[in-house]
Amino acid sequence: MIPLEITVVGAGYVGLSSAVALALAGHRVHLIEHNIKRLQALQSGQIPFLEPDLESAFQDCQKNICIAASLERSVKSSSLIMLAVGTPSTPAHSADLSQIFAALEDIVPLLDQTPRVIVVKSTVPVGTNAEIKAYLESRAPKAVVAVASNPEFLRQGRALQGALFPDRIVIGASEPWALELLRQLYTPLQDAQIPEALEQYRPEQAIPILEISPESAELAKYAANAFLAMKISFINEIANVCAATGADVNEIKAVLEKDKRIGSDFLQAGLGYGGSCFPKDTRALSQISLRSGYEFRLLRAVIEVNSEQRFRVLQQLEQRLEGFRGKRIAVLGLTFKPDTDDLRESLGVDIALELQARGAIVKAHDPTPLKLEQVDFSSDLNACLTGVDAVILVTEWDEYRNANWKDLGCLMQRKLILDGRNALEPGDMLAAGFEYLGVGRKI
Ligand code: UGA
C-alpha cells in the first residue's frame, strides 16, 4: 500500500470513525476538532461519545493519528482533506451548510499548486460539490484542487465496523487523479490491522468501489436513508393493519424476510425512527425534490407515518389506563437506539414530554448516564419502576430484553407494559403476570 497523509475535519461519529479506520489501514491522519471539550477528551485518548469498540481502536492507532484544533499545519502535508462536519436541519428542513463553508474558509488560504482533493463526507444536498468547486475556483483560482463526494453509510452503535468494512464505497469525482487518490485511500481498508472483536466482519470479497458522478453520489446517500426509512414506515403500517385485523406483524416479518428480494433488515415494527439521520435526511430529500419541481409523494407519506406512529402506539396504553392524567408511567430507553448515548430526535424524550403534557407523572431510565432537565431521570431501573402504573419500552437495550421482569413487576403498582419495539416475548411477559401491549402483535 502507499500510505497517504490526510486531514479529517470534524471528530463526530463519521469523522472519528473514518479517521480511526484509515489510521488502522496505515494512513497518517490529522484529525481536526474545534470543540475544546471534544478535543481535550481526544487528546487524552478518550472518545467523546458512546460507541462500541471505537475507543480501544482509537488508542491502538495513536501513532497514525494526530489531533489538533486547527488545520493550519496539516493541510500543507495532506493530499486529501475530508470534511466530516455536521449538516443539521435548517428551520425550513433543508441542510445547513454553514459548517462546511466555515471549514472551506480556513482551507482556502492554505491551498497551492500541490494537488489536493477536498472529500465531502458530510451528507449534503445535490449540487453542493459543484457549489464548493465554484467557490474554490473563485477564492483560490491558482490552486490545484479537486472536489469529491464520498458519502458515508455507517450506523451509530456499529460505526467502526461500518467505516472499516462498508458494503460499498461511493466516490463522485470528475478528475481521474482525484479518483486515483481515493482508490489509494480506501483499497488498504480490507487489510487493516483491526481489533480482534471486529475480525468477524472482515469481508472475504473486495469492498466494491462505485465511481459515479458527484450529483449521483450526493443523491445516493439520501436515497439510501430514505429507502431504509420507507421500510420502517412500511412495516409500521403493516403493524397498524395487523392491530386492526388480528394478524401478527412478527409473523408477517418472518414471511417477508425469507424473500431475498425484500431482505430481513429494517423491518422491526415499533414507535418509529429517530436519531440524527433519518428524520433530517428524509425531510431534506423531500425539500430537494420540491425545489427541483418534483413532489416525492412516497417520501412525504413515509415522514407522515413516522410522525404519527408514536401517537398511534401510545393510544392503546391510554385506552388501557383510561387516560394518562395522574398516572405514573416509566419510560425505558431515551437514546434514539441502543448502544449509543445520542439523544438527537430521541423518541424516548419526546414520549416522556408528551405524557407529561397529558398529565402523567413520568420517570425515565436509560442504561447510559444522561443529563436531562425536562424529565425525571434515574439510572436505577428498580427505582424507576417502583410504584408505577405502567411502563413503556421505547429503546430496546439488552438490559431490558434480559431483565428479570417477574421481579421488576413486583415493584410496580400495576403490571402493565407497552413494548414499543416488540423487543420482549409476550408469552414470557404474560407468564410474569404482565398485561402486555405490543405493536401489531397478536396476544
Ligand atoms: C442511519 C443509517 O442506517 C446509516 O446507514 C446512515 O449512514 C446513517 O443513518 C447516517 O445517515 O449517518 P443511524 O441513524 O445510526 O444510521 O441508525 P439506524 O440503525 O439506521 O436507526 C435509525 C432509527 O430507525 C432508530 O431510531 C431505530 O430505532 C429505527 N429503526 C431501525 C426501526 O424503527 N426499525 C428498524 O427495523 C430499524
Side-chain angles (χ1 to χ4, degrees), residues 209-222:
I209 298 184
L210 305 176
E211 298 173 0
I212 57 181
S213 74
E215 290 76 17
S216 299
E218 291 166 330
L219 191 55
K221 165 68 192 193
Y222 285 109

Side-chain angles (χ1 to χ4, degrees), residues 30-43:
H30 300 270
L31 181 60
I32 311 300
E33 176 56 57
H34 285 324
N35 180 297
I36 289 296
K37 260 179 116 178
R38 279 195 169 195
L39 180 76
Q40 285 169 344
L42 291 166
Q43 281 170 334

Side-chain angles (χ1 to χ4, degrees), residues 101-136:
F101 280 93
L104 290 170
E105 191 80 9
D106 292 343
I107 294 167
V108 158
L110 306 167
L111 298 173
D112 54 26
Q113 299 297 298
T114 311
R116 292 190 181 84
V117 190
I118 309 270
V119 182
V120 183
K121 263 233 173 276
S122 310
T123 302
V124 293
V126 186
T128 304
N129 279 257
E131 205 182 314
I132 294 174
K133 211 169 169 179
Y135 172 87
L136 293 173

